[in-house]
Amino acid sequence: MFPDAQTREAVSAEQPRLPLSYYEEPVPTPAGWDNRPCGYLLFGPPYEPVAMEAKQRGWAVDHVPGRHLHQLVDPRAVTDRIMAMTRDWGSSTS
């Protein structure tokens, strides 16, 4: 999933070490949190159900062919697509 050993080492060194219980807790979300512009950038087939849910919520959904952590493999393409998806979000009102 990483483009090279150096990237894997850098990302691993930056990751906080958290207990398993951290990941088992539900994330509190305030009512209306997604009334603001939201989007989902799909990389590949394992994430298609999440992209479909995002689309059903009315979010912008786009696709850059790739795999998990693709932002590390092709950061330019991922950044360009996110910028294109969000270009008009500043003019949205909620």
Side-chain angles (χ1 to χ4, degrees):
M1 287 187 247
F2 295 92
D4 54 58
Q6 294 82 4
T7 301
R8 180 184 174 90
E9 289 174 22
V11 170
S12 294
E14 293 175 4
Q15 291 178 331
R17 303 297 186 241
L18 301 168
L20 178 59
S21 61
Y22 175 86
Y23 298 100
E24 296 172 337
E25 288 294 317
V27 177
T29 52
W33 72 269
D34 63 350
N35 289 339
R36 308 286 297 155
C38 296
Y40 187 84
L41 184 57
L42 172 66
F43 293 148
Y47 307 100
E48 287 173 354
V50 180
M52 288 299 296
E53 180 182 337
K55 186 173 249 173
Q56 290 169 351
R57 289 175 171 258
W59 296 8
V61 175
D62 208 339
H63 180 233
V64 170
R67 294 175 29 189
H68 187 68
L69 300 177
H70 192 68
Q71 67 273 21
L72 299 174
V73 176
D74 193 354
R76 172 64 68 187
V78 172
T79 300
D80 288 349
R81 195 62 58 93
I82 291 171
M83 295 298 291
M85 287 173 65
T86 62
R87 193 160 284 126
D88 66 342
W89 288 7
S91 62
S92 296
T93 57
S94 296

